[in-house]
PDB file of all heavy atoms in Angstrom:
ATOM      1  N   CYS A 196      12.070  -7.963  15.750  1.00 76.00           N
ATOM      2  CA  CYS A 196      12.599  -8.587  14.529  1.00 76.00           C
ATOM      3  C   CYS A 196      13.177  -7.711  13.496  1.00 76.00           C
ATOM      4  O   CYS A 196      14.185  -7.927  12.878  1.00 76.00           O
ATOM      5  CB  CYS A 196      11.557  -9.566  13.966  1.00 76.00           C
ATOM      6  SG  CYS A 196      11.035 -10.894  14.957  1.00 76.00           S
ATOM      7  N   ASN A 199      16.865  -6.581  15.014  1.00 75.00           N
ATOM      8  CA  ASN A 199      17.756  -7.734  15.155  1.00 75.00           C
ATOM      9  C   ASN A 199      17.153  -9.098  15.242  1.00 75.00           C
ATOM     10  O   ASN A 199      16.785  -9.604  16.249  1.00 75.00           O
ATOM     11  CB  ASN A 199      18.680  -7.428  16.448  1.00 75.00           C
ATOM     12  CG  ASN A 199      19.932  -8.276  16.499  1.00 75.00           C
ATOM     13  OD1 ASN A 199      19.981  -9.377  15.916  1.00 75.00           O
ATOM     14  ND2 ASN A 199      20.991  -7.688  16.869  1.00 75.00           N
ATOM     15  N   PRO A 200      17.034  -9.753  14.110  1.00 74.00           N
ATOM     16  CA  PRO A 200      16.288 -11.119  14.081  1.00 74.00           C
ATOM     17  C   PRO A 200      17.015 -12.052  14.937  1.00 74.00           C
ATOM     18  O   PRO A 200      16.413 -12.874  15.701  1.00 74.00           O
ATOM     19  CB  PRO A 200      16.333 -11.419  12.657  1.00 74.00           C
ATOM     20  CG  PRO A 200      16.497 -10.111  11.870  1.00 74.00           C
ATOM     21  CD  PRO A 200      17.220  -9.291  12.706  1.00 74.00           C
ATOM     22  N   LEU A 201      18.361 -12.016  14.994  1.00 77.00           N
ATOM     23  CA  LEU A 201      19.065 -13.038  15.768  1.00 77.00           C
ATOM     24  C   LEU A 201      18.793 -12.881  17.242  1.00 77.00           C
ATOM     25  O   LEU A 201      18.481 -13.902  17.993  1.00 77.00           O
ATOM     26  CB  LEU A 201      20.647 -12.958  15.480  1.00 77.00           C
ATOM     27  CG  LEU A 201      21.427 -13.911  16.360  1.00 77.00           C
ATOM     28  CD1 LEU A 201      21.110 -15.229  15.958  1.00 77.00           C
ATOM     29  CD2 LEU A 201      22.923 -13.606  15.994  1.00 77.00           C
ATOM     30  N   ALA A 202      18.780 -11.635  17.707  1.00 80.00           N
ATOM     31  CA  ALA A 202      18.520 -11.245  19.072  1.00 80.00           C
ATOM     32  C   ALA A 202      16.984 -11.793  19.458  1.00 80.00           C
ATOM     33  O   ALA A 202      16.742 -12.211  20.612  1.00 80.00           O
ATOM     34  CB  ALA A 202      18.752  -9.858  19.447  1.00 80.00           C
ATOM     35  N   ALA A 203      16.166 -11.409  18.498  1.00 78.00           N
ATOM     36  CA  ALA A 203      14.813 -11.885  18.745  1.00 78.00           C
ATOM     37  C   ALA A 203      14.695 -13.303  18.948  1.00 78.00           C
ATOM     38  O   ALA A 203      13.861 -13.875  19.786  1.00 78.00           O
ATOM     39  CB  ALA A 203      13.967 -11.346  17.487  1.00 78.00           C
ATOM     40  N   ARG A 204      15.356 -14.185  18.081  1.00 79.00           N
ATOM     41  CA  ARG A 204      15.305 -15.646  18.230  1.00 79.00           C
ATOM     42  C   ARG A 204      15.866 -16.040  19.521  1.00 79.00           C
ATOM     43  O   ARG A 204      15.374 -17.002  20.163  1.00 79.00           O
ATOM     44  CB  ARG A 204      16.220 -16.167  17.089  1.00 79.00           C
ATOM     45  CG  ARG A 204      15.618 -16.157  15.710  1.00 79.00           C
ATOM     46  CD  ARG A 204      16.224 -17.058  14.693  1.00 79.00           C
ATOM     47  NE  ARG A 204      15.780 -17.010  13.443  1.00 79.00           N
ATOM     48  CZ  ARG A 204      16.182 -16.203  12.472  1.00 79.00           C
ATOM     49  NH1 ARG A 204      17.212 -15.380  12.745  1.00 79.00           N
ATOM     50  NH2 ARG A 204      15.661 -16.109  11.297  1.00 79.00           N
ATOM     51  N   LEU A 205      16.905 -15.414  19.985  1.00 81.00           N
ATOM     52  CA  LEU A 205      17.572 -15.702  21.277  1.00 81.00           C
ATOM     53  C   LEU A 205      16.697 -15.474  22.501  1.00 81.00           C
ATOM     54  O   LEU A 205      16.831 -16.250  23.461  1.00 81.00           O
ATOM     55  CB  LEU A 205      18.949 -14.971  21.457  1.00 81.00           C
ATOM     56  CG  LEU A 205      20.003 -15.306  20.474  1.00 81.00           C
ATOM     57  CD1 LEU A 205      21.235 -14.392  20.691  1.00 81.00           C
ATOM     58  CD2 LEU A 205      20.475 -16.760  20.720  1.00 81.00           C
ATOM     59  N   VAL A 206      15.678 -14.644  22.386  1.00 79.00           N
ATOM     60  CA  VAL A 206      14.830 -14.436  23.438  1.00 79.00           C
ATOM     61  C   VAL A 206      13.434 -15.199  23.300  1.00 79.00           C
ATOM     62  O   VAL A 206      12.477 -15.025  23.960  1.00 79.00           O
ATOM     63  CB  VAL A 206      14.421 -12.919  23.723  1.00 79.00           C
ATOM     64  CG1 VAL A 206      15.780 -12.191  24.100  1.00 79.00           C
ATOM     65  CG2 VAL A 206      13.891 -12.239  22.351  1.00 79.00           C
ATOM     66  N   GLY A 207      13.456 -16.033  22.252  1.00 79.00           N
ATOM     67  CA  GLY A 207      12.350 -17.046  22.089  1.00 79.00           C
ATOM     68  C   GLY A 207      11.222 -16.567  21.114  1.00 79.00           C
ATOM     69  O   GLY A 207      10.267 -17.127  21.042  1.00 79.00           O
ATOM     70  N   ILE A 208      11.469 -15.581  20.380  1.00 80.00           N
ATOM     71  CA  ILE A 208      10.513 -15.081  19.299  1.00 80.00           C
ATOM     72  C   ILE A 208      10.684 -16.011  18.170  1.00 80.00           C
ATOM     73  O   ILE A 208      11.731 -16.241  17.602  1.00 80.00           O
ATOM     74  CB  ILE A 208      10.685 -13.561  19.031  1.00 80.00           C
ATOM     75  CG1 ILE A 208      10.496 -12.706  20.159  1.00 80.00           C
ATOM     76  CG2 ILE A 208       9.878 -13.214  17.819  1.00 80.00           C
ATOM     77  CD1 ILE A 208      10.851 -11.326  19.988  1.00 80.00           C
ATOM     78  N   ASN A 209       9.535 -16.467  17.655  1.00 82.00           N
ATOM     79  CA  ASN A 209       9.521 -17.284  16.395  1.00 82.00           C
ATOM     80  C   ASN A 209       9.455 -16.422  15.134  1.00 82.00           C
ATOM     81  O   ASN A 209       8.409 -15.874  14.737  1.00 82.00           O
ATOM     82  CB  ASN A 209       8.297 -18.195  16.359  1.00 82.00           C
ATOM     83  CG  ASN A 209       8.360 -19.198  15.292  1.00 82.00           C
ATOM     84  OD1 ASN A 209       8.867 -18.963  14.232  1.00 82.00           O
ATOM     85  ND2 ASN A 209       7.665 -20.340  15.577  1.00 82.00           N
ATOM     86  N   VAL A 210      10.613 -16.025  14.717  1.00 81.00           N
ATOM     87  CA  VAL A 210      10.774 -15.043  13.631  1.00 81.00           C
ATOM     88  C   VAL A 210      10.102 -15.503  12.268  1.00 81.00           C
ATOM     89  O   VAL A 210       9.444 -14.742  11.681  1.00 81.00           O
ATOM     90  CB  VAL A 210      12.274 -14.815  13.395  1.00 81.00           C
ATOM     91  CG1 VAL A 210      12.436 -13.881  12.140  1.00 81.00           C
ATOM     92  CG2 VAL A 210      13.058 -14.137  14.612  1.00 81.00           C
ATOM     93  N   ARG A 211      10.083 -16.729  12.066  1.00 82.00           N
ATOM     94  CA  ARG A 211       9.466 -17.211  10.828  1.00 82.00           C
ATOM     95  C   ARG A 211       7.971 -17.008  10.829  1.00 82.00           C
ATOM     96  O   ARG A 211       7.306 -16.716   9.766  1.00 82.00           O
ATOM     97  CB  ARG A 211       9.962 -18.777  10.595  1.00 82.00           C
ATOM     98  CG  ARG A 211      11.427 -18.907  10.140  1.00 82.00           C
ATOM     99  CD  ARG A 211      11.506 -20.340   9.699  1.00 82.00           C
ATOM    100  NE  ARG A 211      12.987 -20.505   9.059  1.00 82.00           N
ATOM    101  CZ  ARG A 211      13.156 -20.224   7.780  1.00 82.00           C
ATOM    102  NH1 ARG A 211      12.245 -19.858   7.057  1.00 82.00           N
ATOM    103  NH2 ARG A 211      14.390 -20.347   7.370  1.00 82.00           N
ATOM    104  N   VAL A 214       7.279 -13.453  10.138  1.00 85.00           N
ATOM    105  CA  VAL A 214       7.608 -13.097   8.759  1.00 85.00           C
ATOM    106  C   VAL A 214       6.182 -13.406   7.921  1.00 85.00           C
ATOM    107  O   VAL A 214       5.685 -12.796   7.087  1.00 85.00           O
ATOM    108  CB  VAL A 214       8.720 -13.862   8.230  1.00 85.00           C
ATOM    109  CG1 VAL A 214       8.771 -13.641   6.651  1.00 85.00           C
ATOM    110  CG2 VAL A 214      10.032 -13.386   8.818  1.00 85.00           C
TER     111      VAL A 214
END
Side-chain angles (χ1 to χ4, degrees):
C196 292
N199 194 324
L201 178 59
R204 286 192 185 93
L205 291 176
V206 297
I208 295 174
N209 190 329
V210 175
R211 286 189 173 271
V214 170

